[in-house]
Amino acid sequence: MDAFLASTFAVAIAEIGDKTQLLSLFLVARYATRMPIILGIFIATVLNHALSAWLGAWVASFIPEAWLPWILAVSFIAIALWLLIPDKDDSEDSKFLGMGAFMATTIMFFLAEIGDKTQVATVVLAAKFTETYWVILGTTVGMLLANVPVIMAGRWLMERLPLATARIGASILFIVLAVITVWTTFMNS
């Protein structure tokens, strides 16, 4: 359950102000149909984060166990710093928009997540926790928690969220994960 909760909170907070939220806002303005967009986000996230989590678990199996906590702690700190950099929306000139709300959302979200901080976070979380399926479920729920309100409330919600504060909060969360990783390493030694 720790893997699920950590993954859910990490991704939900990290997504606030992320380019995928901007993409959600753009898609709901473009199509005005919410359910196909939500389903597209769900499918894209499950596929992308499952591949990412399995990669993280696989990489963790090759790294010497003594090194893993330190690599994870450094990775969490790198993600924390990366979260402080605001994203920009680059979805307006996509060739996928003619495919309909569901397909456009699925493809655009999958591609937007490649190399994104939440994808990297999923790799790192899967390397930290042995419960890969809980990480996939948690990161998917976190992605939906961050994007569904944007789809449902749209621009009204985006105008009221303090994005800078959210980015700082997400950054602090990843620093806390780094500290917990190092702390548990010392406590188990």
Side-chain angles (χ1 to χ4, degrees):
M1 201 52 134
D2 288 345
F4 172 76
L5 293 174
S7 299
T8 300
F9 290 125
V11 169
I13 293 171
E15 275 297 302
I16 296 174
D18 190 71
K19 67 183 170 192
T20 51
Q21 274 195 326
L22 299 172
L23 179 57
S24 293
L25 188 61
F26 169 75
L27 288 166
V28 79
R30 173 86 158 84
Y31 294 108
T33 56
R34 290 171 170 83
M35 193 50 73
I37 294 170
I38 293 168
L39 290 174
I41 291 170
F42 174 74
I43 297 297
T45 302
V46 167
L47 293 174
N48 190 293
H49 289 198
L51 292 171
S52 302
W54 288 324
L55 173 66
W58 180 73
V59 167
S61 71
F62 290 106
I63 296 173
E65 197 168 320
W67 296 6
L68 190 58
W70 301 105
I71 292 171
L72 292 173
V74 169
S75 298
F76 283 138
I77 291 169
I79 294 168
L81 295 173
W82 189 4
L83 283 166
L84 296 174
I85 302 169
D87 281 332
K88 64 179 179 64
D89 184 13
D90 55 358
S91 60
E92 292 187 28
D93 56 347
S94 176
K95 58 188 167 278
F96 303 112
L97 294 175
M99 301 175 125
F102 174 74
M103 284 304 294
T105 301
T106 304
I107 293 168
M108 292 173 75
F109 254 81
F110 184 86
L111 294 174
E113 278 297 294
I114 295 174
D116 192 55
K117 59 189 145 252
T118 53
Q119 184 186 41
V120 174
T122 302
V123 172
V124 173
L125 287 162
K128 176 175 178 45
F129 296 105
T130 58
E131 303 91 358
T132 305
Y133 291 106
W134 283 112
V135 171
I136 296 167
L137 183 60
T139 58
T140 301
V141 169
M143 180 71 78
L144 291 171
L145 284 173
N147 286 292
V148 170
V150 172
I151 293 165
M152 300 312 279
R155 189 166 302 281
W156 179 87
L157 183 63
M158 293 300 285
E159 289 171 354
R160 286 159 178 77
L161 281 176
L163 297 180
T165 303
R167 280 194 303 274
I168 292 167
S171 180
I172 290 169
L173 175 64
F174 277 95
I175 289 172
V176 168
L177 287 170
V179 169
I180 290 170
T181 300
V182 171
W183 179 263
T184 55
T185 300
F186 281 126
M187 296 305 289
N188 293 331
S189 298

